[in-house]
Amino acid sequence: MNNVAQGNMTKQRIEGVDAARGLALVAMMAIHILPGWNDDFEPTFSWLVFAGRGAALFALLAGVSLAFMSGGQYPARGTRMTAARLGLAVRAVLVTVIGLLLGYLVVYAQVILVYYGVMFLLALPLLRLRIRTLLALSAGIALTAPVLMQATRDSLADMGGVEPNFSTLAQAPGDVLGQVLLSGTYPALPWMAFVCAGLAVGRLNLAERAVQLRLVLAGAGLAVVTAVLSTLLLGPFGGREQLETAASVWSNNPEEAVSDILIWGPDPTLPTDSWWWLTTLTPYSSTPLVLLHTIGTAVAALGIVLLLSQAGILRPLAVLGKMTLTLYSLHLLLLATGMLEDQPVLCLVVQLIIVAAFAYTWQHFTSQGPLERTVSDASKWVRSRYLEHAGTPAVREAPTNRVQGQPAVRRTGTSGPPPPPSTPPSIGGRRQALEAEGRSRRSRNRQHR
């Protein structure tokens, strides 16, 4: 492949993944600002399309980013993987700190960043797993973690809708941990299904059109299958009747109570009076079918965005996607001001203009947002210090959306693994390369003697 073609693939890859991040940001902003129902108390278009799906895409892309920052298609090994894990741990801690600070804001929105940071930490041991193993683990988590969530919910403290912050963490660290792992809006243990799926996707060559098409088809297929399965379980198999029977104990109108939960989601958590709740697709409930369904919609959305990005029509979204941490925080700060809260459509338009203007202005100075730059610099400092201590030549941190996992660099020593080839070599080619490297090392050793 010539340099021009490789450069075009890299550009498409960067714009596609960044545009997907931008789309996730816009979807979450829409859910936070726009009303969920109309004058007839029917769900609005924005609720039906974005509820739970924007956050799911955000979480899936967290896994994709983890894959990119740990080697992409060719995961790092040895000291370099250890260095990558240390750098990612620093990222996780700093993102969690930002989330805990934003938890003090009085807003009608659930802050995802604390959960996001904890998911980063939980994913660190998984960075060397194969794609098939990651997909199997994602499915296993989606099927089992919600059962644990439901089984333990009554024993976990009720945080009263208060977001995790430094005060609640200091006063009741165990309760906050239970909230973040199992009982919160984005429980980290069940939502690791998104991260594992994203890790698997990030190990693919997302610049290939065939891969992009497979993502669309596989994601859409999973979304359709889970929707049909939930419909069958709640309908012909009698699941809805079981839920209404259970709801009759605590509601005078069980049919309406069940319908409200199915449409609007738990308030704040799913009831634990029936295991049939785990067969629903109610948004923000983290049931097995919800997790699998939104993994499907997120994967399909990523595939579609990657395809469309080749035409260059999603560049405005890509600009937003380059600094989602900064823009998401800015969005929450704007929400806290109460600006135009009685005019939601105008509020969304104004906020989009503000965050877009900030992003376009800031990129003239640097490609990373201010929060992204702070987190990235701290991560790179820890990585380089560890590699220096380990005696391994430092490698410039690759852009998180690069086609190949690591940048092409001039080697300065013989320690550490060689940079990955542009295409996987044949078995014979690898053997010849290893033999040639061995002969070179023996020759240098004789010269030193």
Side-chain angles (χ1 to χ4, degrees):
M1 182 181 297
N2 59 44
N3 293 333
V4 174
Q6 183 70 34
N8 290 335
M9 290 175 64
T10 304
K11 183 177 179 181
Q12 293 167 7
R13 169 74 170 276
I14 291 174
E15 288 189 352
V17 177
D18 280 338
R21 291 194 188 99
L23 176 62
L25 173 67
V26 172
M28 296 182 75
M29 292 176 63
I31 285 297
H32 291 164
I33 297 174
L34 298 179
W37 58 86
N38 56 26
D39 293 338
D40 298 324
F41 295 100
E42 297 291 332
T44 60
F45 175 80
S46 62
W47 182 264
L48 292 175
V49 173
F50 295 130
R53 294 187 177 92
L57 179 57
F58 205 62
L60 181 97
L61 291 171
V64 174
S65 296
L66 284 169
F68 291 163
M69 289 185 284
S70 59
Q73 293 176 255
Y74 305 95
R77 296 176 179 273
T79 57
R80 296 200 188 283
M81 176 55 79
T82 303
R85 287 192 171 110
L86 288 174
L88 291 171
V90 171
R91 286 177 179 270
V93 171
L94 292 179
V95 168
T96 302
V97 168
I98 295 170
L100 290 171
L101 290 173
L102 293 174
Y104 286 104
L105 297 178
V106 180
V107 293
Y108 293 104
Q110 306 298 319
V111 181
I112 197 175
L113 294 183
V114 175
Y115 305 89
Y116 196 84
V118 172
M119 283 185 267
F120 261 55
L121 289 174
L122 293 176
L124 294 182
L126 312 179
L127 299 181
R128 285 290 303 155
L129 296 182
R130 298 176 181 272
I131 292 177
R132 290 183 180 179
T133 305
L134 287 167
L135 292 177
L137 184 58
S138 175
I141 291 173
L143 295 173
T144 59
V147 177
L148 176 64
M149 178 185 68
Q150 282 293 93
T152 60
R153 180 162 284 160
D154 289 339
S155 62
L156 297 174
D158 183 4
M159 301 301 291
V162 177
E163 287 297 291
N165 55 53
F166 283 107
S167 299
T168 58
L169 183 61
Q171 294 167 4
D175 293 344
V176 172
L177 182 62
Q179 178 186 18
V180 172
L181 292 179
L182 287 169
S183 66
T185 305
Y186 313 107
L189 289 182
W191 278 52
M192 282 300 295
F194 295 110
V195 176
C196 290
L199 269 170
V201 170
R203 297 300 185 203
L204 302 173
N205 185 358
L206 298 183
E208 288 187 0
R209 185 178 180 85
V211 172
Q212 297 167 0
L213 290 172
R214 286 199 293 269
L215 290 178
V216 175
L217 295 176
L222 180 59
V224 170
V225 168
T226 49
V228 170
L229 181 58
S230 179
T231 301
L232 292 175
L233 290 172
L234 293 177
F237 287 92
R240 182 153 187 158
E241 294 178 3
Q242 294 292 330
L243 294 178
E244 291 172 354
T245 299
S248 63
V249 176
W250 47 268
S251 174
N252 294 327
N253 191 342
E255 293 84 1
E256 183 177 348
V258 171
S259 179
D260 285 347
I261 293 176
L262 293 179
I263 295 174
W264 311 114
D267 184 24
T269 60
L270 278 179
T272 57
D273 48 19
S274 174
W275 289 104
W276 281 97
W277 289 110
L278 295 181
T279 66
T280 68
L281 281 181
T282 183
Y284 303 106
S285 61
S286 300
T287 68
L289 292 182
V290 164
L291 293 174
L292 293 173
H293 178 78
T294 48
I295 286 173
T297 58
V299 169
L302 176 59
I304 292 172
V305 170
L306 287 169
L307 288 169
L308 293 177
S309 67
Q310 299 181 25
I313 61 177
L314 299 181
R315 287 174 186 168
L317 281 178
V319 172
L320 301 183
K322 290 178 180 178
M323 52 185 77
T324 48
L325 178 60
T326 295
L327 299 183
Y328 177 79
S329 302
L330 175 60
H331 156 64
L332 292 176
L333 291 172
L334 292 173
L335 275 184
T337 66
M339 176 186 66
L340 299 172
E341 60 183 1
D342 57 339
Q343 302 180 61
V345 176
L346 180 59
C347 180
L348 177 61
V349 172
V350 170
Q351 286 211 26
L352 286 174
I353 292 174
I354 291 174
V355 299
F358 179 89
Y360 272 94
T361 302
W362 190 270
Q363 75 168 355
H364 288 294
F365 301 97
T366 178
S367 60
Q368 291 182 306
L371 292 181
E372 285 80 4
R373 182 63 178 270
T374 301
V375 172
S376 177
D377 286 349
S379 173
K380 287 189 286 188
W381 183 83
V382 170
R383 290 179 63 167
S384 62
R385 288 298 299 270
Y386 174 79
L387 289 173
E388 180 182 349
H389 178 74
T392 303
V395 175
R396 179 174 57 86
E397 188 174 82
T400 57
N401 296 344
R402 189 177 175 88
V403 174
Q404 299 297 339
Q406 298 177 352
V409 296
R410 183 183 300 275
R411 291 187 53 77
T412 58
T414 58
S415 59
S422 59
T423 56
S426 64
I427 295 176
R430 286 197 297 269
R431 183 181 299 112
Q432 292 174 2
L434 290 173
E435 291 175 351
E437 184 177 355
R439 289 194 298 270
S440 176
R441 287 182 178 177
R442 288 193 295 271
S443 175
R444 284 195 296 271
N445 288 337
R446 285 194 297 270
Q447 292 174 3
H448 289 313
R449 292 195 190 101

